[in-house]
């Protein structure tokens, strides 16, 4: 106990030191994809006490609890680690469900808002008289089996180990509430909620552990593992202003043609156009331009005018107060305007005081975002799963298909980084085993009882683009009916997949972006509200049929650590902090 607390304190101090190495937006490198984390929801005024339905004052939402989780479910003799969770029984009445959620690939410290009725989790708890839990995923935040993120430690960082964590937690946790030792899944219905990766985890757990969770809610769930996920940029291309899309495509085609040629003068001029003249590798330069497309991912239905993505499009498509036609202004103006935007504003905003090569270069094997193995480093933890099991590499589109992203960025560009970040774990032929992941957890082929999928289909509302247009004479989005979630094509709403929506496994489609339906606070789009009401209706209908199991599940007794296992834990070295959410580089 003392040792693990000591490790946690040391890790916290180390992670604070690591922050200074990050860029202004929190990433370790500007050529690294922004994580698709679940959006945070703020807790109510901390000064307002949390009270149960009988008036009892409860611990604050931010109270942290610890669960003794198995280090390795295949070898329980290795012992346990402290897994953090947050919990409230604000709405709980005896017989009510337990609603469990994980934010997935990130530190869960700021996600206690998901205990409240400002989220779909809390709405289910309030409607069904349930208790809510937020559980931190293994190898994120301070829930780590070992005190570093070395390759040796990460051997027990797999999707299956995470799934087994949920089973072990549900069957063994003694919740700090009245009757908290008598709400295992055989005695009370458990409902699993997640979004993005944790939404996929909701589906994968219900497939892999049938009957453990009585119902599930999966928002923007990326259930299908995809190696070359170039389709990430398709919803952006189809939904962004037509003039901006046309001009971005024109510039990217020019970048690819120039960088693939031998005219060194033209190559250097093009690098300098974006303020990247001192960068060494052309694929790093071309890949860096993805940043303007990644800005789309931060959009939500509550996003107003002046968002980063629309500032970019305005820079290209508004000239002397005149807006470009749907076909755009053309290559000459777009190239000049994009370059000026980067040199005068975007590059400094992206990199801060860091030089372009350090900020955007990805070939230095000694860079700290490759070598730093300190815990609470979500980038590195997620990249291990990316390199091994899911892929989701965001690349240029195939030849013959319109592309917003350079075709110099292809899977070898990213897979090389797996080798740099995890020396010895991958060779030049290694690729993520997406086939195994999809076969084992069903991917798009999931057909499971009592699982509700919610996905965003962003249709621009008239008042929104009128507001954008009147605010700054900006580029006016063309109304479309394509999904606006860039992760859409890894969900059950992917184009051409045609997963049916049934009463057993319904699919709710709202006018949102990524995980827009998880939050119920603020100005909710009416179509998203309809999805949430639909989900609440199904939860009520399903839960009315739940009955206690006649074969109660038995808690798994944890063997004490063997002397060898304990020695390994004590001997694990502390390592200097780092950040490693990483992604971007070319073929060495």
């Amino acid at each position: 106990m003392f040792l693990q607390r000591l490790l946690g304190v040391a890790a916290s101090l180390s992670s604070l030191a690591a922050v200074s190495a990050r860029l202004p937006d929190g990433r370790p490198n500007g050529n690294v994809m922004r994580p698709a984390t679940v959006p945070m929801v703020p807790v109510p005024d901390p000064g307002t006490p949390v009270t149960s339905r009988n008036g009892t004052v409860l611990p604050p939402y931010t109270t942290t609890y610890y669960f003794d989780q198995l280090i390795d479910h295949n070898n329980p003799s290795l012992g346990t680690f402290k897994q953090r969770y947050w919990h409230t029984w604000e709405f709980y009445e005896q017989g009510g469900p337990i609603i469990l959620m994980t934010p997935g690939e990130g530190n869960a410290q700021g996600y206690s808002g998901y205990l409240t009725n400002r989220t779909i989790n809390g709405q289910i708890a309030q409607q069904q008289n349930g208790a809510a839990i937020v559980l931190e995923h293994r190898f994120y935040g301070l829930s780590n089996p070992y005190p570093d993120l070395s390759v040796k430690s990460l051997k027990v960082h797999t999707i299956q180990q995470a799934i087994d964590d949920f089973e072990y937690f549900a069957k063994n946790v003694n919740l700090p509430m009245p009757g908290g030792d008598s709400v295992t899944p055989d005695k009370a219905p458990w409902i699993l909620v997640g979004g993005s990766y944790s939404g996929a985890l909701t589906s994968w757990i219900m497939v892999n552990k049938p009957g453990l969770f009585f119902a599930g809610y999966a928002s923007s769930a990326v259930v299908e593992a995809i190696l070359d996920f170039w389709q990430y940029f398709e919803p952006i291309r189809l939904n962004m202003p037509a003039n901006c899309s046309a001009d971005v495509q024109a510039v990217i085609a020019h970048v690819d043609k120039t960088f693939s040629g031998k005219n060194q003068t033209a190559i250097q001029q093009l690098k300098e156009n974006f303020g990247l003249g001192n960068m060494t590798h052309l694929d790093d330069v071309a890949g860096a331009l993805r940043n303007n497309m990644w800005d789309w991912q931060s959009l939500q239905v509550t996003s107003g005018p002046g968002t980063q993505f629309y500032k970019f499009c305005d820079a290209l498509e508004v000239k002397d107060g005149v807006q470009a036609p749907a076909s755009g202004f053309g290559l000459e103006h777009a190239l000049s305007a994009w370059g000026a935007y980067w040199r005068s504003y975007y590059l400094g905003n992206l990199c801060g005081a860091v030089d372009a090569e350090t900020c955007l270069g990805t070939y230095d094997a000694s860079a700290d975002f490759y070598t730093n193995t300190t815990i609470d480093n979500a980038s590195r933890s997620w990249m291990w799963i990316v390199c091994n099991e899911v892929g989701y590499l965001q690349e240029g589109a195939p030849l013959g298909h319109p592309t917003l992203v350079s075709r110099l960025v292809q899977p070898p560009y990213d897979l090389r980084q797996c080798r740099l970040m995890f020396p010895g774990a991958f060779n030049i032929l290694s690729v993520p085993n997406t086939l195994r992941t999809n076969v084992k957890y069903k991917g798009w082929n999931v057909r499971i009882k009592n699982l509700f999928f919610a996905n965003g289909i962003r249709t621009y509302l008239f008042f929104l683009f009128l507001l954008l247009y009147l605010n700054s004479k900006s580029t006016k989005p063309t109304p479309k009916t394509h999904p606006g979630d860039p992760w859409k094509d890894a969900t059950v709403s992917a184009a051409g997949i045609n997963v049916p929506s049934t009463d057993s496994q319904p699919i709710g489609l709202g006018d949102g972006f990524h995980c827009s339906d998880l939050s119920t606070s603020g100005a909710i789009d009416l179509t998203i509200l309809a999805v949430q009401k639909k989900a609440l209706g199904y939860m009520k209908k399903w839960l009315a049929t739940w009955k206690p199991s006649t074969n109660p599940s038995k808690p798994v007794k944890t063997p004490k650590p063997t002397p060898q296992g304990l020695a390994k834990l004590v001997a694990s070295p502390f390592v200097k902090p780092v950040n490693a959410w990483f992604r971007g580089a070319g073929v060495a």
Side-chain angles (χ1 to χ4, degrees):
M1 177 74 73
F2 172 76
L3 174 62
Q4 290 203 342
R5 287 183 177 177
L6 180 63
L7 295 178
V9 170
S12 298
L13 294 174
S14 297
S15 63
L16 288 175
V19 172
S20 61
R22 298 183 179 181
L23 301 180
D25 66 4
R27 289 180 295 164
N29 183 281
N31 238 325
V32 170
M33 180 185 67
R34 291 171 185 150
T37 51
V38 173
M40 286 188 179
V41 174
V43 297
D45 183 355
T48 303
V50 183
T51 58
S52 70
R53 284 182 166 165
N54 65 11
T56 303
V57 176
L58 305 182
Y61 298 120
T62 54
T63 303
T64 306
Y65 301 96
Y66 296 89
F67 174 73
D68 290 325
Q69 183 62 261
L70 292 177
I71 291 173
D72 184 352
H73 294 275
N74 298 318
N75 185 6
S77 67
L78 291 179
T80 63
F81 67 96
K82 296 297 180 183
Q83 187 171 31
R84 299 193 299 176
Y85 72 97
W86 293 259
H87 168 59
T88 190
W89 57 103
E90 178 182 5
F91 304 115
Y92 183 74
E93 296 180 13
Q94 188 174 2
I98 307 299
I99 297 92
L100 177 61
M101 178 264 188
T102 179
E105 70 279 33
N107 188 314
Q109 182 71 51
Y111 285 90
S112 54
Y114 279 83
L115 301 175
T116 75
N117 61 2
R118 297 182 175 195
T119 64
I120 191 65
N121 309 44
Q123 291 280 329
I124 297 171
Q126 185 175 31
Q127 173 183 278
Q128 301 298 147
N129 311 319
I133 304 170
V134 171
L135 181 66
E136 188 166 66
H137 194 297
R138 66 166 48 211
F139 283 99
Y140 294 100
L142 303 184
S143 296
N144 294 270
Y146 298 111
D148 63 41
L149 300 179
S150 64
V151 169
K152 183 178 180 181
S153 296
L154 291 169
K155 294 293 185 182
V156 290
H157 181 33
T158 65
I159 291 172
Q160 188 60 52
Q161 289 279 357
I163 290 174
D164 292 341
D165 282 350
F166 279 81
E167 179 181 36
Y168 190 78
F169 180 89
K171 290 183 176 180
N172 292 275
V173 69
N174 183 354
L175 293 174
M177 69 178 196
D181 59 347
S182 302
V183 289
T184 48
D186 57 305
K187 299 174 183 176
W190 282 59
I191 300 172
L192 189 58
V193 179
S196 193
Y197 161 69
S198 72
L201 202 56
T202 297
S203 177
W204 297 339
I205 291 172
M206 293 185 71
V207 166
N208 191 252
K209 306 289 184 181
L212 177 66
F213 289 91
F214 183 71
Y217 181 99
S219 172
S220 299
V222 288
V223 294
E224 182 79 1
I226 301 172
L227 174 61
D228 183 355
F229 191 38
W230 63 270
Q231 297 96 330
Y232 173 93
F233 298 103
E234 277 297 276
I236 305 174
R237 184 181 68 84
L238 295 169
N239 282 274
M240 68 191 291
N243 49 17
C244 191
S245 176
D247 279 343
V248 167
Q249 292 176 56
V251 170
I252 291 301
H254 175 73
V255 167
D256 281 0
K257 181 178 180 180
T258 303
F259 283 175
S260 298
K262 299 180 179 180
N263 187 331
Q264 296 303 314
T265 299
I267 289 172
Q268 187 62 28
Q269 287 177 345
L270 185 54
K271 289 164 60 179
E272 291 176 353
N273 179 67
F274 295 100
L276 306 176
N278 293 329
M279 290 193 67
T280 304
H281 297 278
L282 298 182
D283 46 10
D284 281 342
V285 176
L289 300 180
R290 290 176 297 173
N291 276 281
N292 299 113
M293 302 302 106
W294 284 331
D295 286 332
W296 176 275
Q297 186 171 289
S298 64
L299 295 175
Q300 286 293 345
V301 292
T302 54
S303 300
T307 57
Q308 192 66 65
F309 185 86
Y310 283 104
K311 284 182 180 179
F312 163 69
C313 279
D314 285 351
L316 269 62
E317 306 307 328
V318 178
K319 180 171 61 174
D320 300 326
V322 177
Q323 184 185 184
S327 58
F329 281 129
L331 174 61
E332 183 177 357
H333 172 77
L335 180 61
S336 174
W338 196 345
Y341 179 69
W342 264 67
R343 295 192 311 272
S344 65
Y345 168 72
Y346 196 79
L347 183 58
N349 189 60
L350 179 67
C351 297
V354 179
D355 67 276
E357 183 64 38
T358 302
C359 172
L360 298 163
T362 61
Y363 279 79
D364 182 4
S366 67
D368 113 318
F369 72 95
Y370 285 141
T371 61
N372 192 313
T373 59
T374 305
I375 66 168
D376 195 13
N377 181 355
S379 304
R380 184 179 184 88
S381 295
W382 175 239
M383 201 61 200
W384 178 260
I385 297 296
V386 165
C387 294
N388 278 289
E389 299 187 83
V390 297
Y392 301 135
L393 308 179
Q394 297 168 12
E395 324 293 22
L399 288 172
H401 193 283
T403 187
L404 300 174
V405 169
S406 170
R407 291 191 176 91
L408 295 178
V409 180
Q410 296 297 329
Y413 178 81
D414 295 299
L415 295 176
R416 173 181 57 82
Q417 296 175 61
C418 295
R419 300 193 298 275
L420 291 176
M421 183 169 282
F422 307 110
F426 303 99
N427 60 47
I428 197 168
L429 298 178
S430 298
V431 296
N433 197 337
T434 56
L435 176 61
R436 180 181 61 190
T437 301
N438 292 328
V439 169
K440 187 171 185 178
Y441 306 118
K442 302 302 183 184
W444 287 321
N445 294 317
V446 57
R447 303 292 185 272
I448 202 77
K449 185 180 179 182
N450 296 353
L451 176 56
F452 188 97
F453 284 107
N455 290 316
I457 297 184
R458 181 64 183 155
T459 309
Y460 285 103
L461 304 178
F462 177 78
F463 77 86
L464 175 60
F465 44 84
L466 181 62
L467 178 62
L468 286 167
Y469 184 72
L470 294 178
N471 180 69
S472 61
K473 293 185 179 180
S474 68
T475 52
K476 184 167 63 173
T478 303
K480 293 182 182 290
T481 57
H482 302 287
D485 180 0
W487 293 91
K488 180 268 305 180
D489 279 322
T491 75
V492 293
S493 296
I497 300 303
N498 301 318
V499 175
S501 177
T502 65
D503 278 344
S504 177
Q505 185 180 290
I507 303 173
L509 300 177
D511 188 22
F513 292 90
H514 194 61
C515 297
S516 299
D517 52 276
L518 287 178
S519 173
T520 60
S521 61
I524 297 296
D525 178 274
L526 293 178
T527 64
I528 295 174
L529 181 61
V531 170
Q532 293 167 342
K533 287 183 176 180
K534 182 178 181 180
L536 290 170
Y538 273 106
M539 292 298 167
K540 184 176 182 179
K541 174 183 174 182
W542 292 336
L543 286 168
T545 68
W546 183 84
K547 295 179 181 179
S549 173
T550 54
N551 297 310
S553 58
K554 296 181 179 180
V556 179
K557 292 184 178 180
T558 307
K560 293 182 179 180
T562 61
Q564 295 85 355
L566 186 59
K568 288 180 182 179
L569 179 64
V570 174
S572 297
F574 287 103
V575 206
K576 177 184 171 185
V578 78
N579 349 346
W581 160 274
F582 113 135
R583 193 183 179 284
V587 181

